[in-house]
Amino acid sequence: MGWGDLGAFGEPSKETPNLDQMAAEGMLFLDFYTANPLCSPSRAALLTGRLPVRNGFYTTNGHARNAYTPQDIVGGIPDSELLLPELLKKAGYINKIIGKWHLGHRPQFHPLKHGFDEWFGSPNCHFGPYDNRERPNIPVYRDWEMIGRYYEDFKIDLKTGEANLTQLYLQEALDFISKQQASQQPFFLYWAIDATHAPVYASKQFLGTSQRGLYGDAVREIDDSVGKILNHLQQLGISENTFVFFTSDNGAALISAPKQGGSNGPFLCGKQTTFEGGMREPAIAWWPGHIPAGGVSHQLGSVMDLFSTSLSLAGLQPPSDRQIDGINLLPVILQGKLIDRPIFYYRGNELMAVRAGLYKAHYWTWSNSWEEHGKGIDFCPGQSVSGVTTHTQEEHTYLPLLFHLGRDPGEKFPLSFASEEYQRAVGRISGLVQQHKATLVPGQPQLNVCDQAVMNWSPPGCEKLGKCLKAPESDPKKCSWPH
Protein backbone atom coordinates (compact mmCIF):
# COMPACT_ATOMS: atom_id res chain seq x y z
CA MET A 1 0.00 0.00 0.00
CA GLY A 2 1.27 3.47 -0.84
CA TRP A 3 1.64 6.69 1.14
CA GLY A 4 -1.13 8.28 -0.92
CA ASP A 5 -3.74 5.51 -0.56
CA LEU A 6 -5.53 6.81 2.55
CA GLY A 7 -7.89 9.77 2.88
CA ALA A 8 -5.92 10.95 5.91
CA PHE A 9 -2.88 11.28 3.64
CA GLY A 10 -4.79 13.20 0.98
CA GLU A 11 -6.33 10.52 -1.25
CA PRO A 12 -9.17 12.52 -2.85
CA SER A 13 -11.89 9.83 -3.05
CA LYS A 14 -11.82 9.52 0.79
CA GLU A 15 -12.71 5.82 0.78
CA THR A 16 -10.89 4.87 3.99
CA PRO A 17 -13.16 6.24 6.74
CA ASN A 18 -11.95 3.82 9.43
CA LEU A 19 -8.24 4.44 8.93
CA ASP A 20 -8.96 8.16 8.66
CA GLN A 21 -10.85 7.92 11.97
CA MET A 22 -7.92 5.96 13.45
CA ALA A 23 -5.66 8.85 12.44
CA ALA A 24 -8.07 11.44 13.88
CA GLU A 25 -8.10 9.56 17.21
CA GLY A 26 -4.36 8.87 17.19
CA MET A 27 -1.16 10.09 15.55
CA LEU A 28 -0.29 10.33 11.87
CA PHE A 29 3.37 9.86 10.87
CA LEU A 30 4.16 11.73 7.66
CA ASP A 31 7.83 10.70 7.50
CA PHE A 32 7.69 6.98 8.22
CA TYR A 33 9.79 4.46 6.28
CA THR A 34 10.12 0.79 5.62
CA ALA A 35 13.62 -0.70 5.84
CA ASN A 36 13.63 -1.94 2.24
CA PRO A 37 11.65 -1.25 -0.93
CA LEU A 38 10.05 -4.72 -1.03
CA CYS A 39 8.30 -7.35 1.04
CA SER A 40 10.48 -10.01 2.72
CA PRO A 41 13.43 -7.83 3.83
CA SER A 42 11.12 -5.17 5.30
CA ARG A 43 9.22 -7.85 7.29
CA ALA A 44 12.50 -9.28 8.57
CA ALA A 45 13.50 -5.76 9.63
CA LEU A 46 10.21 -5.13 11.44
CA LEU A 47 10.48 -8.33 13.50
CA THR A 48 14.21 -8.03 14.30
CA GLY A 49 14.59 -4.24 14.61
CA ARG A 50 17.59 -4.59 12.30
CA LEU A 51 18.43 -3.57 8.75
CA PRO A 52 18.14 -6.43 6.23
CA VAL A 53 21.87 -6.17 5.50
CA ARG A 54 22.41 -7.14 9.15
CA ASN A 55 19.74 -9.83 9.52
CA GLY A 56 20.66 -11.62 6.27
CA PHE A 57 17.64 -10.68 4.15
CA TYR A 58 19.60 -9.54 1.12
CA THR A 59 21.60 -10.99 -1.77
CA THR A 60 25.18 -10.65 -2.95
CA ASN A 61 24.45 -12.31 -6.32
CA GLY A 62 24.49 -8.91 -7.99
CA HIS A 63 25.18 -5.35 -6.89
CA ALA A 64 22.22 -3.48 -5.34
CA ARG A 65 19.66 -6.13 -6.26
CA ASN A 66 16.28 -6.50 -4.62
CA ALA A 67 15.62 -10.04 -3.39
CA TYR A 68 12.78 -11.69 -1.51
CA THR A 69 11.58 -15.23 -0.63
CA PRO A 70 9.90 -16.96 -3.58
CA GLN A 71 9.10 -20.59 -2.90
CA ASP A 72 12.34 -21.91 -4.41
CA ILE A 73 14.49 -19.89 -1.98
CA VAL A 74 16.80 -21.99 0.22
CA GLY A 75 17.32 -19.35 2.95
CA GLY A 76 15.13 -17.70 5.56
CA ILE A 77 15.28 -16.01 8.93
CA PRO A 78 18.43 -17.27 10.72
CA ASP A 79 18.21 -18.86 14.19
CA SER A 80 20.77 -16.32 15.35
CA GLU A 81 18.23 -13.50 14.91
CA LEU A 82 15.99 -12.63 17.87
CA LEU A 83 12.45 -11.84 16.75
CA LEU A 84 10.02 -9.58 18.58
CA PRO A 85 7.64 -12.42 19.60
CA GLU A 86 10.54 -14.46 21.05
CA LEU A 87 11.42 -11.54 23.31
CA LEU A 88 7.80 -10.70 24.21
CA LYS A 89 7.36 -14.26 25.52
CA LYS A 90 9.64 -13.25 28.41
CA ALA A 91 6.93 -10.82 29.52
CA GLY A 92 4.20 -13.47 29.23
CA TYR A 93 2.80 -12.48 25.83
CA ILE A 94 0.87 -14.85 23.56
CA ASN A 95 1.88 -14.10 19.95
CA LYS A 96 -0.05 -14.69 16.75
CA ILE A 97 0.67 -14.01 13.09
CA ILE A 98 -2.25 -13.79 10.68
CA GLY A 99 -1.47 -13.61 6.96
CA LYS A 100 1.81 -13.46 5.12
CA TRP A 101 5.00 -14.61 6.87
CA HIS A 102 7.52 -14.42 3.99
CA LEU A 103 10.65 -15.09 6.07
CA GLY A 104 11.31 -18.54 4.62
CA HIS A 105 9.03 -21.56 4.20
CA ARG A 106 11.29 -24.51 5.02
CA PRO A 107 10.58 -26.17 8.41
CA GLN A 108 13.41 -24.44 10.30
CA PHE A 109 12.00 -21.03 9.33
CA HIS A 110 8.42 -21.71 10.50
CA PRO A 111 7.03 -18.78 12.55
CA LEU A 112 6.20 -21.07 15.49
CA LYS A 113 9.93 -21.80 15.72
CA HIS A 114 10.62 -18.07 16.03
CA GLY A 115 8.39 -16.97 18.89
CA PHE A 116 4.86 -17.11 17.51
CA ASP A 117 2.37 -19.35 19.33
CA GLU A 118 -0.25 -19.37 16.59
CA TRP A 119 -0.37 -18.85 12.83
CA PHE A 120 -3.13 -18.65 10.29
CA GLY A 121 -1.83 -17.68 6.87
CA SER A 122 0.77 -18.45 4.29
CA PRO A 123 4.57 -18.52 4.01
CA ASN A 124 4.49 -16.82 0.60
CA CYS A 125 2.32 -14.44 -1.38
CA HIS A 126 -0.83 -15.60 -3.17
CA PHE A 127 0.80 -16.11 -6.56
CA GLY A 128 -0.55 -18.81 -8.86
CA PRO A 129 -2.44 -20.84 -9.75
CA TYR A 130 0.37 -23.29 -10.48
CA ASP A 131 0.08 -26.73 -12.06
CA ASN A 132 1.47 -28.69 -9.05
CA ARG A 133 3.86 -30.50 -11.40
CA GLU A 134 6.36 -27.82 -12.35
CA ARG A 135 5.44 -25.58 -9.41
CA PRO A 136 3.15 -26.30 -6.45
CA ASN A 137 0.39 -24.00 -5.26
CA ILE A 138 1.21 -22.07 -2.07
CA PRO A 139 0.03 -23.69 1.21
CA VAL A 140 -2.10 -22.02 3.88
CA TYR A 141 -1.22 -22.99 7.46
CA ARG A 142 -2.99 -23.24 10.76
CA ASP A 143 -0.19 -23.35 13.32
CA TRP A 144 2.23 -26.20 12.50
CA GLU A 145 0.38 -27.74 9.55
CA MET A 146 -1.01 -26.75 6.19
CA ILE A 147 -4.80 -26.85 5.85
CA GLY A 148 -4.98 -26.38 2.09
CA ARG A 149 -3.52 -24.47 -0.82
CA TYR A 150 -4.31 -21.18 -2.54
CA TYR A 151 -6.52 -21.59 -5.65
CA GLU A 152 -7.42 -25.16 -4.60
CA ASP A 153 -8.96 -24.89 -1.11
CA PHE A 154 -8.65 -21.11 -0.74
CA LYS A 155 -10.19 -19.67 -3.87
CA ILE A 156 -8.98 -16.53 -5.64
CA ASP A 157 -10.82 -15.72 -8.87
CA LEU A 158 -8.29 -14.00 -11.08
CA LYS A 159 -10.98 -12.89 -13.55
CA THR A 160 -13.22 -11.09 -11.05
CA GLY A 161 -10.69 -10.56 -8.23
CA GLU A 162 -13.04 -12.23 -5.74
CA ALA A 163 -11.55 -13.93 -2.67
CA ASN A 164 -12.73 -14.06 0.94
CA LEU A 165 -9.23 -14.21 2.44
CA THR A 166 -9.38 -10.80 4.12
CA GLN A 167 -12.64 -11.84 5.81
CA LEU A 168 -10.98 -15.04 7.06
CA TYR A 169 -8.03 -13.02 8.37
CA LEU A 170 -10.41 -10.54 10.04
CA GLN A 171 -12.36 -13.28 11.84
CA GLU A 172 -9.11 -14.88 13.01
CA ALA A 173 -8.05 -11.54 14.49
CA LEU A 174 -11.36 -10.94 16.28
CA ASP A 175 -11.40 -14.48 17.70
CA PHE A 176 -7.80 -14.28 18.91
CA ILE A 177 -8.38 -10.92 20.62
CA SER A 178 -11.55 -12.23 22.32
CA LYS A 179 -9.75 -15.34 23.54
CA GLN A 180 -6.82 -13.42 25.04
CA GLN A 181 -9.11 -10.86 26.65
CA ALA A 182 -11.19 -13.64 28.23
CA SER A 183 -8.08 -15.26 29.71
CA GLN A 184 -6.59 -11.90 30.77
CA GLN A 185 -3.54 -12.71 28.68
CA PRO A 186 -1.27 -10.00 27.20
CA PHE A 187 -0.99 -10.52 23.45
CA PHE A 188 0.91 -9.48 20.34
CA LEU A 189 -1.00 -9.76 17.06
CA TYR A 190 0.84 -9.32 13.76
CA TRP A 191 -1.99 -8.88 11.23
CA ALA A 192 -0.22 -9.16 7.87
CA ILE A 193 -2.92 -9.15 5.21
CA ASP A 194 -1.89 -8.98 1.55
CA ALA A 195 -5.02 -8.10 -0.49
CA THR A 196 -3.41 -5.03 -2.09
CA HIS A 197 -0.50 -7.10 -3.50
CA ALA A 198 -1.08 -8.05 -7.14
CA PRO A 199 -3.04 -10.15 -8.02
CA VAL A 200 -5.32 -7.86 -6.03
CA TYR A 201 -8.43 -9.39 -4.45
CA ALA A 202 -11.48 -8.43 -2.38
CA SER A 203 -14.53 -10.29 -1.08
CA LYS A 204 -17.86 -10.14 -2.90
CA GLN A 205 -19.45 -7.37 -0.82
CA PHE A 206 -16.56 -4.99 -1.63
CA LEU A 207 -16.15 -5.74 -5.35
CA GLY A 208 -17.10 -2.78 -7.52
CA THR A 209 -17.64 -0.42 -4.57
CA SER A 210 -14.60 1.85 -5.09
CA GLN A 211 -13.98 4.71 -7.49
CA ARG A 212 -10.44 3.32 -7.75
CA GLY A 213 -11.23 -0.07 -9.29
CA LEU A 214 -10.27 -3.46 -7.85
CA TYR A 215 -7.28 -2.04 -5.96
CA GLY A 216 -9.59 0.47 -4.29
CA ASP A 217 -12.00 -2.36 -3.42
CA ALA A 218 -9.15 -4.17 -1.64
CA VAL A 219 -8.16 -1.00 0.24
CA ARG A 220 -11.79 -0.47 1.28
CA GLU A 221 -12.01 -4.01 2.66
CA ILE A 222 -8.78 -3.60 4.62
CA ASP A 223 -10.07 -0.27 5.94
CA ASP A 224 -13.36 -1.88 6.98
CA SER A 225 -11.45 -4.70 8.72
CA VAL A 226 -9.22 -2.32 10.66
CA GLY A 227 -12.36 -0.48 11.79
CA LYS A 228 -13.90 -3.75 13.03
CA ILE A 229 -10.70 -4.68 14.92
CA LEU A 230 -10.50 -1.29 16.65
CA ASN A 231 -14.22 -1.39 17.45
CA HIS A 232 -13.78 -4.90 18.90
CA LEU A 233 -11.01 -3.68 21.21
CA GLN A 234 -13.31 -0.88 22.39
CA GLN A 235 -16.30 -3.19 22.93
CA LEU A 236 -14.15 -5.57 24.98
CA GLY A 237 -12.99 -2.63 27.10
CA ILE A 238 -9.29 -3.13 26.32
CA SER A 239 -8.64 -0.32 23.83
CA GLU A 240 -6.91 1.84 26.48
CA ASN A 241 -4.58 -1.06 27.20
CA THR A 242 -3.79 -1.91 23.56
CA PHE A 243 -1.27 -0.16 21.31
CA VAL A 244 -2.14 -0.45 17.61
CA PHE A 245 0.05 0.58 14.68
CA PHE A 246 -0.88 0.53 10.98
CA THR A 247 1.70 0.69 8.19
CA SER A 248 2.89 -1.02 4.98
CA ASP A 249 5.86 -3.16 3.96
CA ASN A 250 6.76 -1.05 0.90
CA GLY A 251 5.38 1.65 -1.35
CA ALA A 252 2.68 0.96 -3.92
CA ALA A 253 3.84 -1.23 -6.82
CA LEU A 254 3.53 1.08 -9.81
CA ILE A 255 4.46 -1.79 -12.10
CA SER A 256 0.93 -3.09 -11.35
CA ALA A 257 -0.67 0.29 -12.08
CA PRO A 258 -3.13 1.56 -13.04
CA LYS A 259 -5.49 -1.38 -12.44
CA GLN A 260 -3.68 -3.15 -9.60
CA GLY A 261 -1.42 -0.42 -8.26
CA GLY A 262 -1.90 2.18 -5.57
CA SER A 263 -0.75 5.74 -5.00
CA ASN A 264 2.52 7.00 -3.55
CA GLY A 265 1.16 10.53 -3.34
CA PRO A 266 3.65 13.24 -4.35
CA PHE A 267 6.66 10.92 -4.14
CA LEU A 268 8.95 9.61 -6.87
CA CYS A 269 8.58 6.06 -8.25
CA GLY A 270 7.38 3.09 -6.22
CA LYS A 271 8.11 -0.38 -4.86
CA GLN A 272 11.57 -1.80 -5.74
CA THR A 273 13.22 1.64 -5.71
CA THR A 274 14.93 3.66 -2.98
CA PHE A 275 13.19 6.85 -4.09
CA GLU A 276 10.58 8.15 -1.64
CA GLY A 277 7.71 6.34 -3.38
CA GLY A 278 9.35 2.99 -2.73
CA MET A 279 10.04 3.40 0.97
CA ARG A 280 7.92 6.14 2.59
CA GLU A 281 4.78 4.56 4.04
CA PRO A 282 1.42 5.50 5.50
CA ALA A 283 1.68 5.11 9.29
CA ILE A 284 -0.82 5.61 12.12
CA ALA A 285 -0.41 5.00 15.87
CA TRP A 286 -3.57 4.50 17.98
CA TRP A 287 -3.86 4.10 21.74
CA PRO A 288 -6.94 5.80 23.25
CA GLY A 289 -6.35 7.51 26.55
CA HIS A 290 -2.60 7.70 25.93
CA ILE A 291 -1.93 9.14 22.47
CA PRO A 292 -3.40 12.65 22.13
CA ALA A 293 -6.04 12.64 19.39
CA GLY A 294 -5.32 14.33 16.07
CA GLY A 295 -1.55 14.31 16.41
CA VAL A 296 0.69 14.68 13.38
CA SER A 297 4.40 13.86 13.69
CA HIS A 298 7.32 14.69 11.42
CA GLN A 299 9.54 12.25 13.30
CA LEU A 300 11.69 10.22 10.91
CA GLY A 301 10.31 6.78 11.74
CA SER A 302 10.98 3.23 10.56
CA VAL A 303 9.24 -0.14 10.77
CA MET A 304 12.29 -1.20 12.81
CA ASP A 305 11.15 1.23 15.53
CA LEU A 306 8.09 -0.97 16.13
CA PHE A 307 10.49 -3.59 17.53
CA SER A 308 12.05 -1.26 20.12
CA THR A 309 8.75 0.50 20.87
CA SER A 310 6.91 -2.79 21.48
CA LEU A 311 9.63 -4.04 23.80
CA SER A 312 9.45 -0.79 25.76
CA LEU A 313 5.66 -1.13 26.10
CA ALA A 314 6.17 -4.64 27.48
CA GLY A 315 8.77 -3.40 29.98
CA LEU A 316 11.64 -5.10 28.17
CA GLN A 317 15.04 -3.89 26.96
CA PRO A 318 16.28 -4.54 23.40
CA PRO A 319 19.04 -7.19 23.15
CA SER A 320 22.43 -5.66 23.98
CA ASP A 321 24.56 -8.22 22.12
CA ARG A 322 23.75 -6.90 18.61
CA GLN A 323 23.18 -3.68 16.72
CA ILE A 324 19.51 -2.64 16.86
CA ASP A 325 18.53 -0.05 14.24
CA GLY A 326 15.07 0.72 15.59
CA ILE A 327 14.46 3.41 18.20
CA ASN A 328 11.78 3.64 20.90
CA LEU A 329 9.07 5.96 19.57
CA LEU A 330 7.13 6.31 22.84
CA PRO A 331 8.59 9.77 23.68
CA VAL A 332 7.49 10.89 20.19
CA ILE A 333 4.02 9.34 20.41
CA LEU A 334 3.19 10.24 24.01
CA GLN A 335 5.06 13.52 24.49
CA GLY A 336 5.41 14.90 20.96
CA LYS A 337 9.22 14.84 21.05
CA LEU A 338 11.44 14.70 17.99
CA ILE A 339 14.46 12.38 18.00
CA ASP A 340 17.34 13.21 15.66
CA ARG A 341 18.21 10.11 13.64
CA PRO A 342 19.06 9.23 10.04
CA ILE A 343 17.17 6.94 7.66
CA PHE A 344 19.28 4.52 5.60
CA TYR A 345 17.88 3.42 2.25
CA TYR A 346 19.32 0.04 1.22
CA ARG A 347 18.81 -1.89 -1.97
CA GLY A 348 20.28 -5.37 -1.50
CA ASN A 349 23.88 -5.06 -0.33
CA GLU A 350 24.25 -1.35 -1.17
CA LEU A 351 23.52 1.80 0.82
CA MET A 352 21.73 3.80 -1.87
CA ALA A 353 20.70 6.94 0.02
CA VAL A 354 20.54 8.58 3.44
CA ARG A 355 18.06 11.04 4.90
CA ALA A 356 18.94 13.42 7.75
CA GLY A 357 16.41 16.08 8.68
CA LEU A 358 14.83 17.35 5.48
CA TYR A 359 17.81 16.45 3.30
CA LYS A 360 18.26 13.24 1.35
CA ALA A 361 21.54 12.32 -0.34
CA HIS A 362 21.66 9.66 -3.05
CA TYR A 363 24.96 7.76 -3.23
CA TRP A 364 23.64 5.44 -5.94
CA THR A 365 20.67 5.79 -8.29
CA TRP A 366 18.98 3.02 -10.25
CA SER A 367 15.37 2.37 -11.12
CA ASN A 368 15.93 -0.77 -13.22
CA SER A 369 17.97 -1.94 -16.21
CA TRP A 370 17.32 -0.89 -19.80
CA GLU A 371 16.80 -4.57 -20.62
CA GLU A 372 14.04 -4.98 -18.02
CA HIS A 373 12.60 -1.57 -18.91
CA GLY A 374 12.43 -2.67 -22.52
CA LYS A 375 10.24 -5.59 -21.44
CA GLY A 376 7.70 -3.13 -20.02
CA ILE A 377 8.85 -3.38 -16.40
CA ASP A 378 8.65 0.21 -15.16
CA PHE A 379 8.91 1.16 -11.48
CA CYS A 380 8.56 4.87 -12.28
CA PRO A 381 5.85 5.13 -14.97
CA GLY A 382 5.52 8.68 -16.28
CA GLN A 383 8.12 9.93 -13.80
CA SER A 384 11.42 10.23 -15.62
CA VAL A 385 13.79 12.64 -13.86
CA SER A 386 16.97 13.19 -15.87
CA GLY A 387 20.06 11.85 -14.10
CA VAL A 388 17.95 10.58 -11.19
CA THR A 389 15.67 7.75 -12.38
CA THR A 390 18.57 6.01 -14.12
CA HIS A 391 18.49 2.69 -16.01
CA THR A 392 22.14 1.97 -15.33
CA GLN A 393 23.53 1.87 -11.81
CA GLU A 394 25.01 5.32 -11.29
CA GLU A 395 27.46 5.96 -8.47
CA HIS A 396 27.42 9.37 -6.77
CA THR A 397 29.63 8.48 -3.80
CA TYR A 398 32.00 11.41 -4.25
CA LEU A 399 29.35 13.93 -5.24
CA PRO A 400 25.96 12.75 -3.89
CA LEU A 401 22.72 13.98 -5.44
CA LEU A 402 21.06 16.07 -2.73
CA PHE A 403 17.37 16.92 -2.36
CA HIS A 404 15.51 19.06 0.15
CA LEU A 405 12.39 16.95 0.74
CA GLY A 406 10.50 19.82 2.32
CA ARG A 407 10.68 21.96 -0.81
CA ASP A 408 10.92 19.07 -3.26
CA PRO A 409 9.20 15.89 -2.00
CA GLY A 410 9.18 14.48 -5.55
CA GLU A 411 13.02 14.44 -5.78
CA LYS A 412 12.96 16.35 -9.07
CA PHE A 413 15.44 19.18 -8.42
CA PRO A 414 18.88 18.21 -7.08
CA LEU A 415 20.59 21.04 -5.20
CA SER A 416 23.54 22.76 -6.87
CA PHE A 417 26.86 21.13 -5.92
CA ALA A 418 28.37 24.59 -5.57
CA SER A 419 25.83 25.93 -3.09
CA GLU A 420 26.64 26.50 0.56
CA GLU A 421 23.46 24.60 1.46
CA TYR A 422 24.73 21.54 -0.43
CA GLN A 423 28.16 21.64 1.23
CA ARG A 424 26.67 21.98 4.69
CA ALA A 425 24.07 19.19 4.34
CA VAL A 426 26.35 16.72 2.54
CA GLY A 427 29.08 17.32 5.11
CA ARG A 428 26.70 16.29 7.87
CA ILE A 429 25.30 13.25 6.02
CA SER A 430 28.79 12.05 5.01
CA GLY A 431 29.72 11.91 8.69
CA LEU A 432 26.65 9.75 9.40
CA VAL A 433 27.54 7.41 6.52
CA GLN A 434 31.14 6.99 7.71
CA GLN A 435 29.95 6.22 11.21
CA HIS A 436 27.37 3.71 9.91
CA LYS A 437 29.78 1.89 7.61
CA ALA A 438 32.52 1.72 10.24
CA THR A 439 30.30 -0.33 12.55
CA LEU A 440 28.42 -2.37 9.92
CA VAL A 441 28.80 -6.15 10.18
CA PRO A 442 26.76 -7.66 7.32
CA GLY A 443 24.82 -10.84 8.07
CA GLN A 444 25.19 -14.05 6.08
CA PRO A 445 23.10 -13.41 2.92
CA GLN A 446 20.04 -15.67 2.96
CA LEU A 447 18.69 -14.86 -0.50
CA ASN A 448 21.48 -16.15 -2.74
CA VAL A 449 20.54 -19.80 -3.38
CA CYS A 450 17.44 -21.21 -5.08
CA ASP A 451 16.48 -24.86 -5.53
CA GLN A 452 13.24 -26.22 -7.01
CA ALA A 453 13.42 -29.18 -4.61
CA VAL A 454 12.71 -26.94 -1.58
CA MET A 455 9.42 -25.55 -2.94
CA ASN A 456 6.12 -26.21 -1.16
CA TRP A 457 5.81 -29.80 -2.44
CA SER A 458 5.02 -31.60 0.82
CA PRO A 459 4.55 -29.17 3.71
CA PRO A 460 3.70 -30.56 7.18
CA GLY A 461 0.08 -31.77 7.24
CA CYS A 462 -0.09 -32.60 3.52
CA GLU A 463 -0.50 -36.34 4.28
CA LYS A 464 -3.82 -35.82 6.11
CA LEU A 465 -5.14 -33.81 3.18
CA GLY A 466 -3.79 -36.07 0.45
CA LYS A 467 -1.93 -33.06 -0.95
CA CYS A 468 1.71 -34.19 -0.80
CA LEU A 469 3.52 -33.74 -4.11
CA LYS A 470 6.70 -35.36 -5.38
CA ALA A 471 9.71 -33.04 -5.24
CA PRO A 472 12.27 -32.96 -8.06
CA GLU A 473 15.92 -33.79 -7.46
CA SER A 474 17.83 -31.13 -5.56
CA ASP A 475 19.70 -28.79 -7.88
CA PRO A 476 20.84 -25.66 -6.01
CA LYS A 477 21.63 -22.63 -8.16
CA LYS A 478 22.35 -18.97 -7.67
CA CYS A 479 19.04 -17.09 -7.64
CA SER A 480 18.59 -14.60 -10.46
CA TRP A 481 17.61 -11.13 -9.22
CA PRO A 482 17.13 -8.82 -12.25
CA HIS A 483 16.16 -5.74 -10.20
Side-chain angles (χ1 to χ4, degrees):
M1 193 180 282
W3 191 93
D5 276 331
L6 307 182
F9 285 82
E11 202 289 310
S13 64
K14 294 276 195 292
E15 293 180 344
T16 53
N18 297 288
L19 284 160
D20 298 350
Q21 181 69 21
M22 183 184 180
E25 294 172 3
M27 177 173 278
L28 203 64
F29 283 82
L30 297 179
D31 297 77
F32 196 86
Y33 291 87
T34 184
N36 201 262
L38 79 167
C39 43
S40 308
S42 62
R43 290 159 193 265
L46 183 153
L47 290 173
T48 62
R50 285 153 57 80
L51 285 162
V53 73
R54 295 193 215 273
N55 64 39
F57 263 69
Y58 70 106
T59 183
T60 52
N61 286 358
H63 177 249
R65 303 287 165 150
N66 288 319
Y68 66 107
T69 52
Q71 58 165 324
D72 56 350
I73 200 81
V74 169
I77 194 71
D79 279 341
S80 56
E81 290 298 319
L82 286 171
L83 273 62
L84 178 58
E86 292 178 74
L87 297 166
L88 289 175
K89 270 184 181 294
K90 295 175 182 174
Y93 279 71
I94 297 290
N95 308 299
K96 178 158 187 162
I97 169 173
I98 297 173
K100 178 174 158 185
W101 167 239
H102 230 207
L103 300 190
H105 62 274
R106 297 169 70 207
Q108 65 267 41
F109 307 127
H110 193 291
L112 270 59
K113 286 200 171 175
H114 293 272
F116 285 102
D117 300 293
E118 298 180 21
W119 181 26
F120 178 76
S122 182
N124 304 82
C125 214
H126 54 279
F127 293 133
Y130 299 121
D131 60 13
N132 280 341
R133 293 183 301 276
E134 296 296 316
R135 188 169 286 263
N137 279 319
I138 307 291
V140 175
Y141 279 78
R142 179 170 296 288
D143 300 334
W144 287 109
E145 296 187 343
M146 71 176 279
I147 53 173
R149 295 182 188 268
Y150 282 140
Y151 298 95
E152 296 170 22
D153 315 276
F154 294 86
K155 305 289 190 222
I156 303 169
D157 188 323
L158 293 181
K159 287 199 181 78
T160 64
E162 183 181 345
N164 71 337
L165 291 172
T166 302
Q167 292 304 306
L168 295 179
Y169 293 151
L170 169 61
Q171 196 56 52
E172 281 288 319
L174 300 178
D175 291 348
F176 175 72
I177 292 167
S178 294
K179 186 172 140 195
Q180 305 320 314
Q181 188 270 342
S183 62
Q184 300 283 292
Q185 187 75 44
F187 65 89
F188 166 54
L189 172 61
Y190 176 34
W191 196 64
I193 71 288
D194 65 355
T196 49
H197 189 302
V200 171
Y201 63 80
S203 55
K204 193 164 190 173
Q205 70 260 41
F206 289 94
L207 288 178
T209 63
S210 167
Q211 297 175 51
R212 305 178 65 208
L214 180 57
Y215 182 88
D217 297 341
V219 171
R220 288 200 67 235
E221 184 168 18
I222 290 171
D223 174 77
D224 181 78
S225 299
V226 171
K228 287 188 165 82
I229 290 170
L230 299 184
N231 188 46
H232 193 55
L233 292 170
Q234 288 172 318
Q235 287 182 337
L236 292 174
I238 56 172
S239 60
E240 294 200 1
N241 204 25
T242 309
F243 177 78
V244 185
F245 202 94
F246 178 90
T247 190
S248 171
D249 62 347
N250 46 247
L254 301 185
I255 189 173
S256 314
K259 290 192 174 172
Q260 303 222 347
S263 166
N264 295 316
F267 303 122
L268 186 61
C269 300
K271 179 178 177 176
Q272 304 264 11
T273 76
T274 50
F275 301 112
E276 291 296 286
M279 290 184 60
R280 202 189 297 202
E281 307 307 329
I284 304 167
W286 185 86
W287 189 12
H290 300 270
I291 298 174
V296 176
S297 178
H298 285 282
Q299 171 66 43
L300 299 193
S302 164
V303 292
M304 296 179 289
D305 301 341
L306 299 178
F307 176 89
S308 302
T309 305
S310 300
L311 291 178
S312 178
L313 284 163
L316 299 170
Q317 293 295 320
S320 57
D321 64 342
R322 62 199 64 208
Q323 180 71 42
I324 301 296
D325 296 292
I327 63 171
N328 178 10
L329 289 176
L330 288 183
V332 175
I333 292 168
L334 301 180
Q335 295 147 33
K337 292 188 175 174
L338 283 176
I339 300 166
D340 188 24
R341 63 89 72 89
I343 294 291
F344 296 108
Y345 303 69
Y346 270 88
R347 182 164 173 162
N349 59 341
E350 184 60 74
L351 178 63
M352 303 288 285
V354 179
R355 178 175 174 184
L358 286 167
Y359 293 99
K360 180 179 178 183
H362 288 269
Y363 290 88
W364 286 86
T365 52
W366 190 41
S367 49
N368 64 329
S369 68
W370 281 115
E371 182 189 1
E372 291 286 297
H373 193 258
K375 294 177 189 169
I377 297 169
D378 192 352
F379 303 139
C380 311
Q383 289 188 302
S384 176
V385 180
S386 179
V388 179
T389 54
T390 53
H391 292 294
T392 53
Q393 293 185 359
E394 299 291 338
E395 185 173 7
H396 310 280
T397 303
Y398 301 107
L399 210 56
L401 296 181
L402 185 71
F403 297 92
H404 186 288
L405 294 177
R407 299 194 296 265
D408 177 24
E411 296 170 279
K412 291 179 173 59
F413 308 105
L415 271 65
S416 164
F417 299 133
S419 69
E420 189 185 323
E421 183 183 12
Y422 178 93
Q423 303 294 336
R424 192 172 59 245
V426 166
R428 183 184 171 216
I429 294 175
S430 295
L432 294 169
V433 170
Q434 284 168 3
Q435 191 181 347
H436 172 69
K437 289 193 169 178
T439 58
L440 181 68
V441 180
Q444 184 71 29
Q446 295 293 309
L447 309 181
N448 280 354
V449 182
C450 289
D451 185 350
Q452 284 202 303
V454 307
M455 292 201 288
N456 293 288
W457 300 105
S458 296
C462 67
E463 304 87 355
K464 295 177 193 170
L465 303 173
K467 286 188 173 286
C468 300
L469 302 168
K470 188 173 177 352
E473 290 291 311
S474 179
D475 183 20
K477 292 184 170 72
K478 268 188 167 186
C479 305
S480 171
W481 301 115
H483 311 308

